[in-house]
Each structure stands twice: as C-alpha cells, then as structure tokens.
Amino acid sequence: MTSRKIPSLGYALLGLLHQTPASGYDLRKIFSATSMKTYSDSPGAIYPALSRLEKQGLVRGTVEEGSGLRRRQVFRLTPQGIAELKQWIAVAVTRDDVVRRLPEIMLRFAFSEQVVGASASLEILKSLEAALKPYVQSLREEAQRLKSIAPLSGTLAFEAGLRGNECLLQWARFAISAYEKRK
Amino acid sequence: MTSRKIPSLGYALLGLLHQTPASGYDLRKIFSATSMKTYSDSPGAIYPALSRLEKQGLVRGTVEEGSGLRRRQVFRLTPQGIAELKQWIAVAVTRDDVVRRLPEIMLRFAFSEQVVGASASLEILKSLEAALKPYVQSLREEAQRLKSIAPLSGTLAFEAGLRGNECLLQWARFAISAYEKRK
DNA sequence: TATGACATGTAATCTGTTACATGATTAG
DNA sequence: CTAATCATGTAACAGATTACATGTCATA
C-alpha cells in the first residue's frame, strides 16, 4: 500500500535514512542541528511519522540491544521505501510546485544525486527552470499593476517575492551549468 | 479572549478585512487570484477560520439581504480585531521567525503601513535585517563545511537557501533606504 | 428548463503541536 | 545520591485538505 500520500516530513525521513540507518533520536538531532530546522524536531511528529512509514512497509525498525546500551530502535529503508523515494524525486516540477511547495522541490533535489543519480538532478533543474521562467514573468507583470494602487509596504513585500524567484531562477541556471560542466 | 494563538491564515484574513469588509467568498477569490496563492483558498479552511475569529470577537459578520441578492455574509473587523492585528504586526522579528516563518514576516510587513503606519514598517525591516545578518553568516560557514562532504546536489541545494537569504538581506536594505528616502 | 457560476457550509480524515510520561545512563 | 541527558514514546487538541452537500440566481 504505497498509494497513500506521504507528507514532506515523511520524505525527509526517507531521504535521510537512504544515506544511513538511524534512530528517531538521531533524525531529530539532524533536523535541529542542520539547515533542516524547517522540519519539526518534535518527538510527537517524528515517531508517529516513522511508525506510519513502517506500517506502509517503507522502513523497517530493529531494536539494537546488548553492549550495555539503552534501548535504541534503528530504522532502515526497505526496497519499497527506496522505490517510493526514487519515484518522488523523479517526477517533473510543476508550476504549482513552484508556487506552493518550493521547500519540497529543494528537498527532492538535495537527495536526487545520491538516490537516483546526476542525470535525475539535471532533469529536476531543467523542469524547475521551465516552470519558473513564465512564473517570474507573470510576477513582473503583476508587480507593475500593483505599484500604482498599493501602499509602499505592500509593493515592497511583493517585490521581495519577485526577487526571491528571480534569484532562484539564476541559481537554477548556475546549477545546470555546474552539472553540465562536470560531465 | 484574544489569548488563543491565531494561525497565519487567520492573520491574513484580518489583514485583508482591515482594507475592506468582505465575504468568505471574496476572500477566497483574493487568495486564488493574487500572489497569496500560498494561502489555501479552500472553503474548508476559510469558513471555519472566519467563524473562529468571530467566536474570538475579532470580526463580526452581518448578513446582507434585500436588493434581490443571494445570501451573503460580510465580515468586518471589530476594535479588538484591529488591536490584535496591530500587536501582531508590531512585534520585533526574531531569528526563529526568519528560519521557520518567513512568509508570516512578509505578510506582517505587507499590511504594516496601512494598519500601523510607516514607522512600524521601518521597525520590521530593521529587526529583520538585524536577525538576518548573523543568520546569513552562519549559513555561509555551514556551506564551507558542507562542500567537502556532501554530493553536488546537496551542496547546491544548500547554496540555494543561502542565496535566497542573501537576496532577502539585500532586499531588506533596499526597502529600508526606500522608506528613509521617503521621509 | 437545464446548466453553470455564485455562495455557503459540513464531515471525515490526517498531520503537527504541545505537553506530558517513562526509564536508563552518566556526571558531579 | 541527584540532576541532567539520552531515548522513546503517548494523548489531547487544533488546523488543513478533500470531498461532498445545499440552495440561489442568471442565461441560453
């Protein structure tokens, strides 16, 4: 039953577990110590998420004992878990992803090279660029319309969003050239 | 009972209602038609949110009838609603806001000028710049560490986040100078 | 008179937050 | 011995998503 929709916290866990098996506590520490602070490090989110993934057959937890250590459950990806992770990464980026789910795109891209390989990374970048270009254009047009009617702070806030997306587009092109240079 | 915490959708609604009274349907259209697409335009989110705000005494809905129109409930801010909106906007930006709640900061800023005045807008920008500067610095250091150990896609994904924050910092300075020039 | 847009809502389900609970191990 | 930290969880609750339900009005 891989059919049920998985939230991005679930994919973040799968991606981390693909790199190395880990316990819930390890994963929490990764979230709170690195730039993945955007994901919750609360036990009430992570432990239920792990057991959901286990119920879906995407990870398997094994209790590590002996050697005087405290009880510690280490999770590993199952073959289905790897398959699910791969297909999540390999789907092309849509405009709706860009508008509402940017963090998830970046997460997919971050894991892409290790999980599916450099060609998949390039594919993500190219579909991101393709979705982003017309979106930035439409934002520029809306900015023009807004300038005459909104107060300064409203116009500036919109400009921040526009600049952020322009910046992302530049980054995508930079990243594409980095991958093409490496070939 | 203004004490209960209000989610950002609630504040988005309060901010829009401060500009002009509107019905739930009007508000939905604003979310789906403008760059506020990040907020849900689904009735299952907006109508319950409006009735929560009404229960808390922050908005008041009045049914508009007569003139052959269909039933339409128009919401307006109450004095408490205005007070709640003002104090939400006027709180200084923390580092945690920058890391996990950027969209909410931009929302506060967008409404700030109309609701509290230009001096409050400047305050938000200055506290944003103050919180952002050390954060960007720490991201640059983490980027250095990462470069040697992570695969290219991981490094690049991190770089995207870094660039986004650098871009935001530039914008904040640009916005500050725009406000100071206008005085 | 039937279709579609207007306008409002409800119900089921899922996820995340907050706060609490538990027990083992290590440092002082 | 006791306080802190390691490690794992649970329970209550709030909010969002999805899908459905309802009724009105305009128009073809």
Side-chain angles (χ1 to χ4, degrees), chain A residues 4-5 7 9 40 42-45 52 68-70:
Chain A
R4 164 105 105 300
K5 219 186 60 184
L9 172 61
S40 170
S42 88
R52 277 195 303 273
L69 284 169
R70 328 162 186 70

Side-chain angles (χ1 to χ4, degrees), chain A residues 4-172:
Chain A
R4 164 105 105 300
K5 219 186 60 184
I6 298 169
S8 50
L9 172 61
Y11 285 111
L13 294 171
L14 291 180
L16 290 175
L17 290 177
H18 182 268
Q19 298 174 5
T20 169
S23 69
Y25 192 78
D26 295 334
L27 293 162
R28 280 181 65 191
K29 275 190 300 184
I30 294 174
F31 285 138
S32 58
T34 69
S35 53
M36 298 179 83
K37 278 184 202 41
T38 30
Y39 292 96
S40 170
D41 65 338
S42 88
I46 288 183
Y47 290 108
L50 283 170
S51 48
R52 277 195 303 273
L53 294 173
E54 188 163 34
K55 215 170 292 167
Q56 292 167 50
L58 305 178
V59 306
R60 203 182 55 244
T62 55
V63 177
E64 258 187 12
E65 297 204 79
S67 73
L69 284 169
R70 328 162 186 70
R71 193 165 148 276
R72 224 181 94 89
Q73 198 179 4
V74 174
F75 291 91
R76 287 176 173 72
L77 288 190
T78 63
Q80 295 106 290
I82 296 178
E84 175 67 36
L85 185 59
K86 280 185 182 172
Q87 78 86 35
W88 171 66
I89 290 172
V91 175
V93 173
T94 67
R95 173 154 174 169
D96 199 55
D97 289 333
V98 171
V99 178
R100 324 170 83 111
R101 285 181 294 273
L102 249 196
E104 202 174 315
I105 297 176
M106 298 313 297
L107 194 65
R108 283 167 53 188
F109 176 69
F111 291 140
S112 62
E113 190 175 323
Q114 286 206 322
V115 178
V116 201
S119 64
S121 307
L122 237 181
E123 280 313 301
I124 294 178
L125 290 172
K126 283 183 174 168
S127 65
L128 173 61
E129 198 213 354
L132 205 46
K133 232 164 66 174
Y135 181 52
V136 165
Q137 190 49 40
S138 73
L139 287 178
R140 284 207 190 99
E141 284 156 18
E142 200 179 338
Q144 284 308 314
R145 256 175 286 136
L146 209 61
K147 231 167 236 173
S148 44
I149 54 168
L152 183 53
S153 73
T155 316
L156 284 170
F158 190 88
E159 165 105 10
L162 171 56
R163 285 190 182 204
N165 282 286
E166 286 174 335
C167 182
L168 187 65
L169 184 54
Q170 279 176 30
W171 168 86

Side-chain angles (χ1 to χ4, degrees), chain B residues 4-5 7 9 40 42-45 52 68-70:
Chain B
R4 163 102 108 300
K5 218 187 58 184
L9 173 61
S40 169
S42 88
R52 278 196 301 274
L69 284 169
R70 330 165 184 67

Side-chain angles (χ1 to χ4, degrees), chain B residues 57-78:
Chain B
L58 304 177
V59 306
R60 202 183 54 247
T62 55
V63 176
E64 256 186 14
E65 296 205 80
S67 73
L69 284 169
R70 330 165 184 67
R71 192 165 149 272
R72 224 180 94 91
Q73 197 179 3
V74 174
F75 290 90
R76 287 176 173 73
L77 289 190
T78 62

